[in-house]
Amino acid sequence: MAKRLFIKTYGCQMNVYDSARMADVLAPLGYAPACEAAAADMVILNTCHIREKAAEKVFSELGRLRRLKAARARRGGAMIVAVAGCVAQAEGAEILRRAPFVDMVFGPQAYHRLPEMVARATRAGSGVLETDFAPEPKFDSLPEAAAPQGISAFLTVQEGCDKFCTFCVVPSPRGAEYSRPAGEVLAEARRLVAAGAREITLLGQNVNAYHGRSPEGGGAWGLGRLIRALAGCEGLVRIRYTTSHPLDMDEELISAHGEVPALMPFLHLPVQSGSNRVLAAMNRRHTVDEYRRVVARLRAARPDIALSSDLIVGYPGETEAEFRATLALVGEVGFAQAYSFKFSPRPGTPAAAMAGQVPEAVKEERLAELQALLRAQQTAFNRACVGRTLPVLFERAGRHPGQLVGRSPYLQAVHARVPEARRAELLGTVAELSIRSALPNSLSGALVAGGAAAGAEIERASA
Ligand code: SAH
Ligand code: SF4
Ligand code: F3S
């Protein structure tokens, strides 16, 4: 009888990719996806440790799972509960101590050993802990066969981080930088495309620090080189990558933005702060000016490139003037979208122990002001798209009947009504859409099919 697996994913896209690969590892054991935890024989929480809130969620979710597991046991059934990901790596045995009903705790570098862990957990009746480190054996022993990820797929090419920003926990759960060999990446990309992917987003904690072994042997490829090779993969129409560090934007990668049509004109390039003093205290290893120069080179290579960022307010010692410098930089660069966070002291990081912790109320105020500015920029960027024709890759059906949803080159979600008869044929293809209206988080458009007249007709038919 088929067993049911439910994976709840927190955190970044790398966790999303890892969750898909865990499902691939468990499929040969007979696990098929469940639609909710209550119906599952195994529940995996794939966790994130980045901010306090993210880590707290895990323990409240575990409380709920304890009750589900007990209810199942009363009906004579069993449920394996596992904690994976960055909280598992960071807290390890502490999770088994606080939540003894948990069967398995394993870090991001151990999930290829899931079958063996499941066997041990079932036999032993006590918690299994796997927090080993090397990423290489993981990628080597993941199954080739993968469940299709859909039209837009993730592909992890790089893991870990050697940067050690003073606020960040990532280097601890994810380990040192590791790049997968280019040949392995290209082979996985071809498999994803064969399974229906038309867009691939290359992932890494510092994806642009990629330096994977070249397929011919001898030397390493940077990310720009890898992207140029991927662009030759037949059937792949769009390439993206995330997350990048400003320091690792080299010439080959920047020029790829001007030369590789499949490389989308959107880049998430976290700056964190607009103050040189704060950037230095964060150990970001770049100045505000260096960030400006990278942006200028990107815009020279690809004038319409849309930028996104991560920003932190209330870093220890951040003064009002330093916060204003962040607002000024945001105003100057102009982001199409961005994420912003209150500094969250994380266990074991240098910033958590620094003097000058900023009061919560001040962080709240600064965040609200920054987010108002970012929202205004995002709205302005979306509004500026109204009236333009944009190529949209249709990814899925929308919430309303007759609707398809896709993404613009700039990663905006775009909704369109399309005639019933054309829906199946349009999914997974890039269609020209005339953008009609903009909401803060999405656009809506109408098909332009081979010329204005046909376009108008289709619009009427779908109105
Ligand atoms: N590797 C990426 C992003 C890693 S985490 C990079 O270097 O840019 C994603 C974002 O979370 C970071 O860019 C940062 O803005 C935010 N973040 C990380 N640690 C944080 C902390 N302790 N408090 C608040 N935000 C944090
Ligand atoms: Fe964290 Fe900095 Fe590494 Fe990004 S570069 S993962 S913020 S330590
Ligand atoms: Fe979170 Fe780990 Fe990603 S801490 S952001 S899930 S690398």
Side-chain angles (χ1 to χ4, degrees):
M1 209 179 71
K3 288 171 282 190
R4 296 281 160 190
L5 167 69
F6 185 77
I7 306 182
K8 185 158 183 171
T9 308
Y10 303 84
C12 62
Q13 289 104 324
M14 301 200 53
N15 265 11
V16 176
Y17 174 83
D18 286 350
S19 292
R21 299 318 314 264
M22 285 189 239
D24 295 335
V25 173
L26 288 167
L29 272 66
Y31 283 96
C35 49
E36 50 164 358
D41 302 284
M42 186 189 311
V43 178
I44 302 177
L45 301 183
N46 195 8
T47 61
C48 173
H49 206 223
I50 199 79
R51 283 168 293 273
E52 199 176 348
K53 251 197 208 142
E56 270 170 5
K57 279 189 204 152
V58 177
F59 285 100
S60 64
E61 185 63 18
L62 278 175
R64 200 174 76 89
L65 289 179
R66 181 172 53 81
R67 290 188 292 278
L68 285 180
K69 182 171 172 153
R72 232 166 195 259
R74 281 196 297 276
R75 296 196 303 269
M79 178 190 275
I80 297 178
V81 174
V83 181
C86 295
V87 177
Q89 185 68 42
E91 308 236 336
E94 177 64 13
I95 297 173
L96 290 174
R97 199 188 61 76
R98 274 179 71 178
F101 65 96
V102 168
D103 301 283
M104 306 188 290
V105 174
F106 54 94
Q109 311 308 347
Y111 61 77
H112 58 295
R113 289 203 297 275
L114 261 168
E116 173 207 320
M117 286 188 260
V118 172
R120 268 163 59 203
T122 319
R123 249 195 341 261
S126 68
V128 170
L129 182 66
E130 284 277 355
T131 44
D132 270 8
F133 238 81
E136 201 158 358
K138 171 177 78 179
F139 288 115
D140 282 352
S141 46
L142 283 174
E144 280 208 352
Q149 281 191 46
I151 287 156
S152 181
F154 289 138
L155 201 178
T156 293
V157 301
Q158 183 276 336
E159 275 215 73
C161 179
D162 297 340
K163 298 275 191 301
F164 294 96
C165 303
T166 52
F167 52 79
C168 182
V169 286
V170 167
S172 137
R174 293 281 172 167
E177 269 179 19
Y178 166 77
S179 297
R180 296 175 70 186
E184 191 182 311
V185 172
L186 294 173
E188 186 166 331
R190 282 191 288 268
R191 286 196 296 274
L192 288 168
V193 172
R198 293 295 167 264
E199 171 178 274
I200 290 181
T201 303
L202 305 175
L203 300 180
Q205 263 89 31
N206 269 302
V207 71
N208 59 342
Y210 178 83
H211 55 280
R213 191 167 10 101
S214 98
E216 306 94 40
W221 279 9
L223 191 66
R225 181 76 206 274
L226 182 70
I227 286 170
R228 285 165 208 263
L230 268 173
C233 180
E234 204 179 314
L236 182 62
V237 294
R238 288 185 166 186
I239 302 169
R240 303 178 186 274
Y241 60 95
T242 200
T243 293
S244 296
H245 193 288
L247 208 62
D248 294 316
M249 289 307 301
D250 65 14
E251 191 48 43
E252 191 174 34
L253 183 55
I254 291 177
S255 62
H257 277 281
E259 293 161 12
V260 180
L263 182 57
M264 289 296 103
F266 177 91
L267 182 62
H268 182 63
L269 194 63
V271 66
Q272 315 298 356
S273 168
S275 147
N276 281 330
R277 193 205 61 84
V278 173
L279 286 176
M282 286 174 164
N283 190 33
R284 285 294 288 181
R285 307 191 221 180
H286 62 79
T287 61
V288 176
D289 246 352
E290 280 162 332
Y291 187 83
R292 283 194 186 102
R293 277 200 291 276
V294 170
V295 168
R297 284 163 64 205
L298 281 160
R299 285 180 168 155
R302 179 79 204 227
D304 69 332
I305 196 163
L307 296 172
S308 156
S309 201
D310 289 338
L311 297 141
I312 295 178
V313 300
Y315 184 82
E318 184 189 66
T319 64
E320 189 61 26
E322 287 164 346
F323 168 63
R324 300 275 142 214
T326 298
L327 291 176
L329 182 65
V330 169
E332 177 192 326
V333 174
F335 292 104
Q337 62 154 79
Y339 304 92
S340 48
F341 313 99
K342 287 182 287 183
F343 168 72
S344 167
R346 304 305 292 131
T349 60
M354 277 177 194
Q357 298 288 327
V358 174
E360 197 55 27
V362 176
K363 289 189 211 174
E364 294 275 359
E365 252 172 54
R366 291 181 186 171
L367 187 68
E369 192 172 351
L370 175 59
Q371 290 189 335
L373 173 61
L374 292 171
R375 240 189 334 269
Q377 288 194 338
Q378 182 170 339
T379 304
F381 180 78
N382 287 347
R383 286 215 181 112
C385 293
V386 175
R388 288 180 63 188
T389 298
L390 293 179
V392 170
L393 173 61
F394 281 125
E395 290 175 21
R396 56 187 171 84
R399 239 180 299 143
H400 304 293
Q403 203 183 44
L404 286 185
V405 187
R407 299 246 171 214
S408 77
Y410 314 111
L411 206 64
Q412 298 145 298
V414 189
H415 303 258
R417 292 191 140 205
V418 301
E420 178 70 47
R422 294 199 57 201
R423 221 159 290 154
E425 149 218 347
L426 283 169
L427 265 179
T429 67
V430 176
E432 294 293 323
L433 291 192
S434 151
I435 303 304
R436 293 299 162 83
S437 61
L439 293 167
N441 294 311
S442 65
L443 303 174
S444 84
L447 275 180
V448 178
E457 215 168 90
I458 286 173
E459 277 158 33
R460 264 201 306 283
S462 63

